[in-house]
Amino acid sequence: MKRNNRKKLAVMLSTVMLMSVLPAAAFAESVNKPVGTSAVAQAAPSSGGDKMGEAFEAPVNVAITKEKAEALARQYVSIPKEYVLQGANLSMEMLAGGKRNSWGLDFVKKVNGKHLGSIYVRIHADKGQLLEFNSYTDNPSAKPTYPLKVERDAAQQIALQFIDKIASDYKAQLKYNPEYGVQLLPPLSGQVVHSLRFDRVVQDIPYVDNYIELEVDSEGHIQRFSLQWDDTITFPKVDAKLTLEEANAKLRAASDPKLAYIVPRNMQGKRKPVLSYELQAISIDAVTGEIKGPSKDAYFRAGTVSDTPLTDKPLGEEPKATTVTEKQAADAVKAAFKLPAGAELNGSNYSENNNESTGKLEAYWHLNWSIKKDGKELGSASASVDGRNGVVRNFYTYTYNEQAPSGSPSVTLEQASALATDAVKKHLPWLTDELYLVKPDPKQYEGLSASENRQYYFNFVHKIHGAEVEFDRINVSIDSRTGEILNYDTNLSDFEYPADAPALIKKEQAVAEWLTYYRTQLTYRLIQQFSWNGQPIPIEKYNLMLASGEIKGNEVETATEAELVYRLVPRLMDEQVFLDAETGSWRNRDTGEATQLEKPKAQDIEGHFAQRQLELMVAYKALDVKDGQVRPNELVTRGELIKMLVLARNSGRLPSMLSSADSAGAKASFNDVAYGSNYFLYVESALEQNLIDVGDGSFNPGGKVSRDEMAELIVRALGYNALANYDHIFKATFKDATQIENKGQAAIVVGLKIMSLSDGKFLPKKQVTRGEASVAFFRYLQSRAELQEAPIRM
């Protein structure tokens, strides 16, 4: 009897507590439901899945039980009854000035043992607030329409309505972030999810690390909600701060662009390094103007690049090309590095590769050793040797289950640095005047025992004419007890560079250009201070001690402060760019082609019947804009039409085929579309997809296109061309049917309303304008979405 009374009391308390944490909107809905449909009653798992076993009293001290959390989750998210609770976990996370407990709940839908959907919900275990949810549904018959039913503006209103219902207490502290999640290019399919963020505002200043984020699909369904919020942060009250103009002046004075050689990944023609001025985003104190360091945990192996190279002149010459045998490769490793006693060569592999980036043949020996003692394997070693000249490119050795050393390291940081530098000089003597040591910050090794610091890590960067070569790196690690090299890794490209330093734009011009790329944002950021045993410790040492297990997270005291900063934020762009250090122009980081921060807009399409469709083609650079003119009534060329088609089929992305090949390896299929042509990738991609054929070997990219030809191209893109050739199936009742070469194709495009008739005539010989082609491809996108097949459920 007592047991039953306790259960009744628990249900009463659950109901009372549930009502106390429900938002007003949810509570208003619950009281209008018939008797017997309370939130707790609805929370009972339904059949159809593997529900959790009988509840037991968990050893947790939170206000919201698992059962209450499930009831809240079903209220907040309207979880269908066929979804059952499959798993739950209670977790704790540290905040700036405290901690937060939350319930994570997994709901699943299963039919005949098949997983058809899942919903994850996270509930604040003390306040009952919804913190997060996301959902997945296996619904292959779902077919988004094109164009979108719900555009971004409408999705924003749907998101606000959801926030008003679920997190109304936060609404007054939010400001919509118009730049977050923006899809800068118009979508080319209905498979679009709008990502929306509402930033927290404190004293009229956005704190962009606290926010509410939602995802709304193109049908208007909310797929994800996330509340990232910390109520324990104390924000400084600032009476006076720099004006935006003053901040910009400080940022300009502090900006120091660095030279770098970069190699665009998809550069047409032979890939080659290009000099760039790089400027990383920086921050300043909003009150004093002082330059601020990174707010997040710094990478603990970071350091400062030396001002001078290892030597003023090369110490030697690069070995000449020869044929390297396995034995010669193994001997080169033994001569270069100390292999542990008992090392036995147990595997080798020789490989050759034609590097499409440089056009040069690469050859490597890959060697492996096992380290044994008394017949027992203790570790391993591996190396790679250049098969053209015998230079060791990589070396690595490791010993299993090695006993942790005690005491202080036998080798100091300075000694290890000298050993690493000597090793690089020995193995790469022809590059010593271009290699720079990255001096590690001594703080990361201060006070560490030999067990905590078993090896020192060093990096070297490669500079040519003072410009750092992108991706070229040398890494060396030194044993802190023996001074031996444990790891030696070189990543050096084989591109050709000019013998003399080229003329460059002035740094002041580079700064001015970069400050048009960045915008200045006033915001807060958090700074953490760590102390252990009453003494402050740097973040580098904290990370190492935590990783080694010397300390536990709960033994370290943290103090988190918010500070107000002005920081540089990149502008919204639909491409990655770099600043050409020789010309001062902006270029696409992927292709190397010239570009602009402000995209050119066509001034001659306002009010044109194809205005929206032309804007779409201009956005994807399928049509060019010259002097503000897109020339909508000019005849479209074959090259432009193929580019439109390939971009439409590929959702606006560049074709991947041959995108990184060099001119020698990329053979043109047509004699009038050579590698390096603006249409090469698109024409070759169309050929690969069987949208066109080689014919007599000429493509004629500047030729005009008839309506008959365009109809066949579109039907090929839809995948119905073979079927269309049975023209008795698609009877064309056009007045000029006898003049149409591709009757089935014409019937399909007219039937799908991709192309239209003029007074009952198809006009197959009429040449197509840029505007007409844009409309046809927009309608092709619509039809492609409508014709998407869903699998038959058996």
Side-chain angles (χ1 to χ4, degrees), residues 43-61:
S46 60
S47 61
D50 298 326
K51 62 183 179 181
M52 294 185 66
E54 186 69 26
F56 61 91
E57 188 173 350
V60 294
N61 182 24

PDB file of all heavy atoms in Angstrom, residues 43-61:
ATOM      1  N   ALA A  43       3.609  10.626 -22.565  1.00  0.00           N
ATOM      2  CA  ALA A  43       5.017  10.239 -22.607  1.00  0.00           C
ATOM      3  C   ALA A  43       5.228   8.738 -22.614  1.00  0.00           C
ATOM      4  O   ALA A  43       6.316   8.268 -22.874  1.00  0.00           O
ATOM      5  CB  ALA A  43       5.753  10.838 -21.409  1.00  0.00           C
ATOM      6  N   ALA A  44       4.199   7.963 -22.312  1.00  0.00           N
ATOM      7  CA  ALA A  44       4.364   6.520 -22.290  1.00  0.00           C
ATOM      8  C   ALA A  44       4.773   6.011 -23.657  1.00  0.00           C
ATOM      9  O   ALA A  44       4.131   6.311 -24.653  1.00  0.00           O
ATOM     10  CB  ALA A  44       3.051   5.862 -21.858  1.00  0.00           C
ATOM     11  N   PRO A  45       5.854   5.256 -23.752  1.00  0.00           N
ATOM     12  CA  PRO A  45       6.318   4.769 -25.051  1.00  0.00           C
ATOM     13  C   PRO A  45       5.279   3.902 -25.723  1.00  0.00           C
ATOM     14  O   PRO A  45       4.591   3.115 -25.078  1.00  0.00           O
ATOM     15  CB  PRO A  45       7.577   3.966 -24.697  1.00  0.00           C
ATOM     16  CG  PRO A  45       8.009   4.479 -23.365  1.00  0.00           C
ATOM     17  CD  PRO A  45       6.748   4.858 -22.660  1.00  0.00           C
ATOM     18  N   SER A  46       5.151   4.048 -27.037  1.00  0.00           N
ATOM     19  CA  SER A  46       4.192   3.258 -27.797  1.00  0.00           C
ATOM     20  C   SER A  46       4.887   2.069 -28.430  1.00  0.00           C
ATOM     21  O   SER A  46       6.093   1.949 -28.412  1.00  0.00           O
ATOM     22  CB  SER A  46       3.564   4.132 -28.890  1.00  0.00           C
ATOM     23  OG  SER A  46       4.574   4.613 -29.749  1.00  0.00           O
ATOM     24  N   SER A  47       4.117   1.178 -28.992  1.00  0.00           N
ATOM     25  CA  SER A  47       4.673  -0.022 -29.601  1.00  0.00           C
ATOM     26  C   SER A  47       5.318   0.323 -30.931  1.00  0.00           C
ATOM     27  O   SER A  47       5.093   1.375 -31.492  1.00  0.00           O
ATOM     28  CB  SER A  47       3.562  -1.050 -29.810  1.00  0.00           C
ATOM     29  OG  SER A  47       2.575  -0.509 -30.676  1.00  0.00           O
ATOM     30  N   GLY A  48       6.095  -0.617 -31.447  1.00  0.00           N
ATOM     31  CA  GLY A  48       6.709  -0.426 -32.756  1.00  0.00           C
ATOM     32  C   GLY A  48       8.211  -0.321 -32.709  1.00  0.00           C
ATOM     33  O   GLY A  48       8.864  -0.291 -33.725  1.00  0.00           O
ATOM     34  N   GLY A  49       8.807  -0.276 -31.525  1.00  0.00           N
ATOM     35  CA  GLY A  49      10.259  -0.187 -31.425  1.00  0.00           C
ATOM     36  C   GLY A  49      10.747  -0.874 -30.181  1.00  0.00           C
ATOM     37  O   GLY A  49       9.973  -1.428 -29.396  1.00  0.00           O
ATOM     38  N   ASP A  50      12.050  -0.824 -29.966  1.00  0.00           N
ATOM     39  CA  ASP A  50      12.637  -1.424 -28.782  1.00  0.00           C
ATOM     40  C   ASP A  50      12.688  -0.368 -27.691  1.00  0.00           C
ATOM     41  O   ASP A  50      13.633   0.410 -27.596  1.00  0.00           O
ATOM     42  CB  ASP A  50      14.051  -1.929 -29.092  1.00  0.00           C
ATOM     43  CG  ASP A  50      14.035  -3.000 -30.166  1.00  0.00           C
ATOM     44  OD1 ASP A  50      13.059  -3.772 -30.183  1.00  0.00           O
ATOM     45  OD2 ASP A  50      14.977  -3.044 -30.976  1.00  0.00           O
ATOM     46  N   LYS A  51      11.654  -0.325 -26.869  1.00  0.00           N
ATOM     47  CA  LYS A  51      11.602   0.702 -25.832  1.00  0.00           C
ATOM     48  C   LYS A  51      12.518   0.343 -24.678  1.00  0.00           C
ATOM     49  O   LYS A  51      12.930  -0.806 -24.503  1.00  0.00           O
ATOM     50  CB  LYS A  51      10.170   0.887 -25.340  1.00  0.00           C
ATOM     51  CG  LYS A  51       9.562  -0.349 -24.699  1.00  0.00           C
ATOM     52  CD  LYS A  51       8.123  -0.074 -24.309  1.00  0.00           C
ATOM     53  CE  LYS A  51       7.484  -1.326 -23.673  1.00  0.00           C
ATOM     54  NZ  LYS A  51       6.080  -1.076 -23.318  1.00  0.00           N
ATOM     55  N   MET A  52      12.820   1.328 -23.868  1.00  0.00           N
ATOM     56  CA  MET A  52      13.706   1.106 -22.733  1.00  0.00           C
ATOM     57  C   MET A  52      13.019   0.241 -21.691  1.00  0.00           C
ATOM     58  O   MET A  52      11.795   0.178 -21.602  1.00  0.00           O
ATOM     59  CB  MET A  52      14.095   2.449 -22.105  1.00  0.00           C
ATOM     60  CG  MET A  52      14.933   3.325 -23.007  1.00  0.00           C
ATOM     61  SD  MET A  52      15.482   4.814 -22.187  1.00  0.00           S
ATOM     62  CE  MET A  52      16.579   4.131 -20.941  1.00  0.00           C
ATOM     63  N   GLY A  53      13.825  -0.439 -20.896  1.00  0.00           N
ATOM     64  CA  GLY A  53      13.281  -1.310 -19.867  1.00  0.00           C
ATOM     65  C   GLY A  53      12.637  -0.525 -18.729  1.00  0.00           C
ATOM     66  O   GLY A  53      12.584   0.702 -18.724  1.00  0.00           O
ATOM     67  N   GLU A  54      12.156  -1.251 -17.717  1.00  0.00           N
ATOM     68  CA  GLU A  54      11.486  -0.635 -16.577  1.00  0.00           C
ATOM     69  C   GLU A  54      12.415   0.371 -15.913  1.00  0.00           C
ATOM     70  O   GLU A  54      13.591   0.106 -15.689  1.00  0.00           O
ATOM     71  CB  GLU A  54      11.084  -1.721 -15.570  1.00  0.00           C
ATOM     72  CG  GLU A  54      10.250  -1.202 -14.400  1.00  0.00           C
ATOM     73  CD  GLU A  54       8.861  -0.771 -14.841  1.00  0.00           C
ATOM     74  OE1 GLU A  54       8.368  -1.294 -15.867  1.00  0.00           O
ATOM     75  OE2 GLU A  54       8.276   0.094 -14.184  1.00  0.00           O
ATOM     76  N   ALA A  55      11.870   1.552 -15.611  1.00  0.00           N
ATOM     77  CA  ALA A  55      12.680   2.603 -15.009  1.00  0.00           C
ATOM     78  C   ALA A  55      13.112   2.224 -13.605  1.00  0.00           C
ATOM     79  O   ALA A  55      12.426   1.493 -12.900  1.00  0.00           O
ATOM     80  CB  ALA A  55      11.896   3.902 -14.980  1.00  0.00           C
ATOM     81  N   PHE A  56      14.266   2.712 -13.207  1.00  0.00           N
ATOM     82  CA  PHE A  56      14.728   2.516 -11.840  1.00  0.00           C
ATOM     83  C   PHE A  56      15.232   3.851 -11.323  1.00  0.00           C
ATOM     84  O   PHE A  56      15.418   4.799 -12.077  1.00  0.00           O
ATOM     85  CB  PHE A  56      15.825   1.455 -11.773  1.00  0.00           C
ATOM     86  CG  PHE A  56      17.045   1.799 -12.567  1.00  0.00           C
ATOM     87  CD1 PHE A  56      18.104   2.485 -11.989  1.00  0.00           C
ATOM     88  CD2 PHE A  56      17.136   1.438 -13.910  1.00  0.00           C
ATOM     89  CE1 PHE A  56      19.222   2.799 -12.734  1.00  0.00           C
ATOM     90  CE2 PHE A  56      18.256   1.753 -14.651  1.00  0.00           C
ATOM     91  CZ  PHE A  56      19.301   2.442 -14.061  1.00  0.00           C
ATOM     92  N   GLU A  57      15.405   3.908 -10.022  1.00  0.00           N
ATOM     93  CA  GLU A  57      15.812   5.179  -9.418  1.00  0.00           C
ATOM     94  C   GLU A  57      17.294   5.410  -9.686  1.00  0.00           C
ATOM     95  O   GLU A  57      18.159   4.766  -9.105  1.00  0.00           O
ATOM     96  CB  GLU A  57      15.539   5.149  -7.910  1.00  0.00           C
ATOM     97  CG  GLU A  57      15.770   6.507  -7.256  1.00  0.00           C
ATOM     98  CD  GLU A  57      15.341   6.499  -5.789  1.00  0.00           C
ATOM     99  OE1 GLU A  57      14.702   5.527  -5.367  1.00  0.00           O
ATOM    100  OE2 GLU A  57      15.678   7.468  -5.099  1.00  0.00           O
ATOM    101  N   ALA A  58      17.574   6.343 -10.598  1.00  0.00           N
ATOM    102  CA  ALA A  58      18.958   6.617 -10.980  1.00  0.00           C
ATOM    103  C   ALA A  58      19.646   7.480  -9.935  1.00  0.00           C
ATOM    104  O   ALA A  58      19.009   8.333  -9.304  1.00  0.00           O
ATOM    105  CB  ALA A  58      18.992   7.323 -12.322  1.00  0.00           C
ATOM    106  N   PRO A  59      20.947   7.278  -9.718  1.00  0.00           N
ATOM    107  CA  PRO A  59      21.686   8.052  -8.703  1.00  0.00           C
ATOM    108  C   PRO A  59      22.064   9.437  -9.225  1.00  0.00           C
ATOM    109  O   PRO A  59      23.238   9.748  -9.388  1.00  0.00           O
ATOM    110  CB  PRO A  59      22.919   7.184  -8.461  1.00  0.00           C
ATOM    111  CG  PRO A  59      23.157   6.516  -9.774  1.00  0.00           C
ATOM    112  CD  PRO A  59      21.806   6.261 -10.355  1.00  0.00           C
ATOM    113  N   VAL A  60      21.061  10.259  -9.508  1.00  0.00           N
ATOM    114  CA  VAL A  60      21.322  11.599 -10.015  1.00  0.00           C
ATOM    115  C   VAL A  60      20.560  12.606  -9.169  1.00  0.00           C
ATOM    116  O   VAL A  60      19.532  12.304  -8.571  1.00  0.00           O
ATOM    117  CB  VAL A  60      20.900  11.735 -11.489  1.00  0.00           C
ATOM    118  CG1 VAL A  60      21.767  10.850 -12.357  1.00  0.00           C
ATOM    119  CG2 VAL A  60      19.433  11.382 -11.684  1.00  0.00           C
ATOM    120  N   ASN A  61      21.082  13.808  -9.139  1.00  0.00           N
ATOM    121  CA  ASN A  61      20.463  14.859  -8.336  1.00  0.00           C
ATOM    122  C   ASN A  61      20.109  16.022  -9.247  1.00  0.00           C
ATOM    123  O   ASN A  61      20.817  17.024  -9.308  1.00  0.00           O
ATOM    124  CB  ASN A  61      21.421  15.305  -7.223  1.00  0.00           C
ATOM    125  CG  ASN A  61      20.780  16.359  -6.329  1.00  0.00           C
ATOM    126  OD1 ASN A  61      19.561  16.452  -6.229  1.00  0.00           O
ATOM    127  ND2 ASN A  61      21.616  17.165  -5.690  1.00  0.00           N
TER     128      ASN A  61
END
